[in-house]
Amino acid sequence: MRKIFKIAIDKKREFSSTQVQIEDKSIKEKIKSFQKTIPKKILVDDGMETDLHITVKYGLHTNDEEEVRELVKGFGKVRAYLDVVSYFEASEFRDNDVLKISVDSKDLERLNKLISKNLEFTSNYPKYEPHLTLAYIKTGEGKKWDGIKDFVDTELEFDSIIFSSKDSKKIKLSLL
């Protein structure tokens, strides 16, 4: 099993993370409908993403939800805009391409910085690139999907963040 997918399905993980969940039903349905156009033959293992979210910070050492709750309390609502379909190429950190929707959000960038400055974390990625993962696909398949504009300017708003602990418990934390 490839490392990037293994992280997503393990019950006990090395790190905690934070994310915002896509909860708007019409947006979720539009994304799921698009996912159905991705041929199963290009998926890595069972690589369709079913938990539609945008990661804020992965690699957190803490498993203490209260520490994160206190940090993000009062941050305020987060606005984000979906952009084009794009992909991360296979690299030294992943064995396959990752098909995704790029996300534009100064709020998510600020929230990521707040968490990064105040909590210990481990990361192989020097720059935060907010995105919504669609699927884990075979190496070289991503470029065929790059630039699709089906989601451009779709506005999202969040007033909470999910803390996903090392033991995969998901706790909703208010940003207000």
Side-chain angles (χ1 to χ4, degrees), residues 62-70 163 171-173:
T62 187
N63 207 36
D64 182 357
E65 70 188 80
E66 291 306 318
E67 181 178 19
V68 180
R69 183 186 316 275
E70 286 303 310
F163 175 70
I171 300 110
K172 193 174 201 174
L173 307 175

Side-chain angles (χ1 to χ4, degrees), residues 68-82:
V68 180
R69 183 186 316 275
E70 286 303 310
L71 181 62
V72 302
K73 187 168 93 177
F75 183 85
K77 287 190 179 187
V78 169
R79 277 205 162 80
Y81 299 88
L82 299 181

Side-chain angles (χ1 to χ4, degrees), residues 22-32 151 154:
I22 308 303
E23 294 179 350
D24 181 289
K25 288 181 183 180
S26 65
I27 294 172
K28 281 174 81 167
E29 286 307 313
K30 185 174 180 181
I31 294 167
K32 287 179 181 183
F151 303 99
T154 300

Side-chain angles (χ1 to χ4, degrees), residues 13 22 43 49 53 80 91 93 103 128 152 165 169-170:
R13 302 176 305 176
I22 308 303
L43 294 177
E49 181 61 68
H53 68 277
S91 70
F93 303 120
V103 174
Y128 175 58
V152 171
S165 65
K169 290 181 185 168
K170 291 187 175 188

